[in-house]
Amino acid sequence: AAEDGLNGWLRYARLPCDIVKQANVPATIVALNATESSPVYTAGQELKKGIGGILGKTLDVTHETREGPSIVVGTINTFDGSSTIPELEEDGFWLSTQGDTVEIIGQNERGALYGAFEYLSMLAQANFTGVAYATNPSAAIRWVNQWDNMDGTIERGYAGLSIFFKDNVTISNTTRVEQYARLLASIRVNGIIINNVNANPIILSDDNMAGLGKIADAMRPWGVKLGISLNFASPQTFGGLASFDPLDETVIAWWNSTTDKLYEHVPDLAGFLVKANSEGQPGPITYNRTLSEGANMFARAAKPHGGIVMFRAFVYDYQTLNESNWKDDRANAAVDFFRELDGRFDDNVVVQVKYGPIDFQVREPTSPLFAHLRQTASAIELQVAQEYLGQQCHLVYLPPLWKTVLNFDLRVDGEKSVVGTDILSGKRFNKKGLTGYAAVVNVGQNTTWLGSHLAMSNLYAYGRIAWDPTDDEVAILEDWTRLTFGLDNTVRETITRMSMASWPAYENYTGNLGIQTLTDITGPHYGPNPQSMDNNPWGQWTRADADSIGMDRTVSNGTGYAGQYPADVAALYEDIETTPDELLLWFHHVPYTHVLKSGKTVIQHFYDAHYAGAETAATFPQQWAKLQGLMDQQRFEETAFRLTYQAGHAIVWRDSINQFYHNVSGIPDSQNRVGNH
Ligand code: GCW
């Protein structure tokens, strides 16, 4: 069972006999011109393994074209079949199952591997229809980030210790690394940053550079490129220089030679990720240099090697935020820092922007920074690790949350500017090439990878959505469920129903109307703690007092954040009448008795929503109980345990939050559930 968990959605479980009989699969796999360890070679082996599992057939793998029907996998350059293949973009592929020969043809080797996984996904779901289509990625950057520390712990990791590091060095056994790369390749993720953005410079030691070489070797057959996070102060703290000023010649020379050395070990290193001048991290501002000057220093070192720099927009100063100043607002920070730098970044810098302006909350408005980076490549940062969303102890299927941002139209200059399809695709500002997606994943040594079986749907969906942000979240979930749990309808319908109800429920019991996840903000970000949000410099304030609640982010009377959006959107949020209820308290400070569009007061909405959310969570273990016998007992029990816990914890959330606001406001619940009875 542990082995199965490691396979995630790539289990290749045998289909029932009557279904196997319907499958008509050629007897030979031709992995065109594949050299050992190349992604096309991997594709050949994976097809053999998958078909062996799914259909119980043993296929031969060859590397030259053969007479007779076969499964041909290779790149467009090596393909000599008869199909006319539509134009393919980088990493794209063509899949045809219509003729006797199955054609899986990639624009590059990676694309060929992606096509092989696509074909296997169809077979595993007993989909034997004839298809012929080409598919291309929405964006070139589809990465994951791990926040693994060099000592083997993982910041915001909920599934055990690191698979990459231990005791300040890389782990020499790369078995898990390779298994992870396989999962990532199957969802078309093409890059990974393996160490925490709060970076330890020791990753640059000679031993660790050699270790990175081994890690890259383990992932290369899967087309997953390695990158690392850098600590801005490394030249001083690790290199022994007097300074880390990005304009200092000795500092520049140090980074250049360090980068050259890294590329000797990892010739195809994807690049760097940098968190600078944020939450205590060093950065260029320490020397009164701009963030772009800092980013460009790395970009110039990486440029000759074809590397890129993902520079995080999550920059704010938590020491100077002061709640007694009505106009202070952490949400303003990213645009305040980056707006005027647009156009000043080198062309191999990508600014990596969290989906909302604060920090992975249960609901946030779309980051307005996406509207300001017109000449600068940008990528969105999502989080598969459920930091504020129940840390994998709660089932929360995240794509519906991600879609609120990806589908949002920022109306730049009054024109359609949808975040996913227009901005992250590079189309709106004409910057095809370097845009895309990063997700903080934080898998660990746990045999489920994320600590929970059901949480894996989020990782699977992340890859699908980065490839195509219009991909339907329910369809994705159904595919994942079939691949993970088999073809049983009850299992699929139950998991789909629960998953689709899960984010709305979680929002209901942890923080609704745009007030953020009311968790322990200074500590683990887990469990209810509404009082911890205020009276500290972290800037995730609610401004709750005896009569009123919410952040006034209007231009007319508040922090001005609403004005960071293009005009149409700014107007929408400036006016309380047009602000949607779900973001009311993000943008406006109102009395608890303010009446929502739904007709309820804010406080009564709080009470009701918390009851509704906990009620939904209470149905999860009941729904799950009906699946006993429809899957292996281990996954059934482990999941039942988590869902039962979630149902209980949802009540804890409900009662602490309701009680807290009942106490501060003194307003009774119209249904008399809250308070002392
Ligand atoms: O939300 C905060 C997290 C930190 C994290 C930081 C970031 C890696 O609580 O743990 O640090 O965001 O994204 O840099």
Side-chain angles (χ1 to χ4, degrees), residues 463-530:
R464 293 270 304 255
I465 288 171
W467 186 267
D468 177 3
T470 68
D471 207 344
D472 178 64
E473 61 269 34
V474 175
I476 294 172
L477 190 56
E478 290 182 333
D479 286 351
W480 175 80
T481 306
R482 286 189 207 94
L483 296 170
T484 307
F485 290 101
L487 303 183
D488 186 89
N489 287 331
T490 310
V491 173
R492 190 180 66 256
E493 283 160 15
T494 304
I495 291 178
T496 304
R497 204 184 318 111
M498 287 181 358
S499 300
M500 291 307 293
S502 62
W503 171 60
Y506 190 83
E507 180 180 34
N508 272 340
Y509 63 76
T510 65
N512 37 64
L513 302 176
I515 196 63
Q516 308 169 81
T517 312
L518 296 171
T519 187
D520 191 331
I521 194 66
T522 56
H525 299 177
Y526 191 75
N529 198 345

Side-chain angles (χ1 to χ4, degrees), residues 147 155-156 196-198 275 279 312 314 354 359 387-388 525:
W147 287 350
E155 183 154 350
R156 315 299 176 186
N196 193 350
V197 284
N198 295 325
K275 170 178 179 179
E279 300 185 333
R312 290 178 94 226
F314 184 67
K354 286 189 184 183
D359 194 15
E387 178 180 349
Y388 289 89
H525 299 177

Side-chain angles (χ1 to χ4, degrees), residues 343-413:
R344 302 203 184 184
F345 291 96
D346 283 10
D347 63 5
N348 59 331
V349 176
V350 180
V351 174
Q352 180 169 315
V353 186
K354 286 189 184 183
Y355 61 79
I358 295 279
D359 194 15
F360 302 131
Q361 298 302 295
V362 67
R363 188 184 289 269
E364 296 195 37
T366 301
S367 171
L369 185 55
F370 293 115
H372 296 277
L373 299 173
R374 297 177 181 220
Q375 301 169 62
T376 308
S378 59
I380 194 169
E381 184 174 311
L382 303 171
Q383 210 184 30
V384 167
Q386 295 170 230
E387 178 180 349
Y388 289 89
L389 289 128
Q391 307 190 352
Q392 280 97 288
C393 296
H394 290 231
L395 165 66
V396 183
Y397 181 56
L398 298 167
L401 158 63
W402 298 339
K403 291 258 181 159
T404 63
V405 173
L406 295 172
N407 291 342
F408 192 77
D409 186 351
L410 280 163
R411 309 286 312 157
V412 181
D413 296 337

